Amino acid sequence: SVGQPPTAPWEGSSGVSTIYNAMVSPLGPLGIRGVAWYQGEADVGQPGYDRRLAAWMANWRAQFRDAQLPFLIVGLAGWGKPVSNPVESGWAALINEQRLATERDQRSALASAIDLGEPNDIHPANKQEVGRRLALAAHVLVYRDGGTVGPLPINAAREGDKIVVTFTKPLQILSGANANAFELCGSSAATCRYADARVNGAKVEITGDRQSVTRVRYAWADYPVVNLYDADLLPVPVFEIAVQ
């Protein structure tokens, strides 16, 4: 393991790269079943991580001569100061790009760790749960013997005076009646505001407030407080999605 390197040095396509040439290329076409990847802190604040992640996965599939090589991507754990109002967050933006990259790639999956972070430690201690979530994803993506990869948003749509977000799996709220950390947003950052949200099966119904809504954000902070999970206690990941 190498602490907090950006993605580019792991890619052979990025030119002469110390990390790639010294640690990856010498492996040749080594036969491997899959890759578990926990990285991204050093890329925070640099838009386009989803594209870099896609290029890296393509590069390693070429390196190991396996076009179907699966990748299990750990979404960054929360880290930083808790907030009481909506904020802009490069940390959240990167996690959202991790999610987008895995959604576009059928041989990859996201294991969210947003709820496992520690506000004062960028290397949170609870790796056991990270491992459990990766194992659940591996059952589906690598070993194909059932299991789960966690709940993901499919779309957001207006239904009367509500915004309804549909997910891939039924959800549950822990320790309360409302789901924390949902925001309704207009076109600009300053328009984002917290909103009341309740679960109805695989849908979250967000109460409208008669203001402009073009997108929904969830857990959009460096260190959000979340309570929305599926039946396997896998958390809904950080996301931003346009309202249809």
Side-chain angles (χ1 to χ4, degrees):
S1 63
V2 178
Q4 299 187 56
T7 305
W10 293 96
E11 302 173 25
S13 59
S14 65
V16 177
S17 167
T18 301
I19 291 179
Y20 184 88
N21 289 337
M23 302 176 68
V24 180
S25 182
L27 296 176
L30 181 68
I32 59 178
R33 290 297 301 272
V35 178
W37 184 252
Y38 191 167
Q39 187 275 344
E41 296 90 340
D43 285 271
V44 170
Q46 302 179 47
Y49 187 81
D50 53 333
R51 297 190 299 273
R52 295 194 296 278
L53 203 58
W56 165 74
M57 290 189 288
N59 180 259
W60 278 33
R61 284 170 178 149
Q63 160 83 27
F64 298 113
R65 299 179 188 174
D66 182 357
Q68 298 300 308
L69 183 66
F71 288 84
L72 309 179
I73 309 299
V74 178
L76 295 186
W79 174 65
K81 182 180 179 181
V83 296
S84 57
N85 295 295
V87 296
E88 293 306 295
S89 169
W91 199 263
L94 185 130
I95 299 171
N96 188 53
E97 289 179 335
Q98 290 178 311
R99 180 188 64 85
L100 291 173
T102 58
E103 284 188 356
R104 295 167 185 155
D105 190 305
Q106 294 184 346
R107 297 296 291 154
S108 68
L110 181 72
S112 177
I114 190 59
D115 59 330
L116 302 179
E118 300 173 20
N120 299 315
D121 191 345
I122 200 170
H123 298 292
N126 191 359
K127 298 300 192 297
Q128 185 76 13
E129 178 60 17
V130 174
R132 184 186 79 90
R133 295 174 185 181
L134 285 170
L136 288 172
H139 279 300
V140 176
L141 202 63
V142 182
Y143 302 108
R144 300 172 185 267
D145 58 358
T148 182
V149 294
L152 295 169
I154 299 173
N155 58 50
R158 292 177 174 85
E159 294 188 11
D161 61 351
K162 298 178 180 179
I163 303 296
V164 178
V165 183
T166 302
F167 291 83
T168 55
K169 300 174 63 182
L171 302 172
Q172 61 176 326
I173 296 171
L174 303 184
S175 301
N178 288 4
N180 296 338
F182 276 91
E183 300 175 27
L184 297 178
C185 300
S187 57
S188 68
T191 61
C192 292
R193 63 273 187 194
Y194 292 133
D196 291 333
R198 289 180 177 258
V199 167
N200 183 5
K203 297 184 177 182
V204 170
E205 299 176 349
I206 307 172
T207 303
D209 56 8
R210 299 185 179 181
Q211 298 184 53
S212 174
V213 180
T214 61
R215 55 201 167 101
V216 173
R217 299 198 308 195
Y218 175 73
W220 204 267
D222 295 352
Y223 186 79
V225 177
V226 299
N227 65 345
L228 189 58
Y229 292 78
D230 69 9
D232 296 299
L233 293 181
L234 298 176
V236 169
V238 175
F239 70 85
E240 180 180 88
I241 188 169
V243 176
Q244 298 177 354

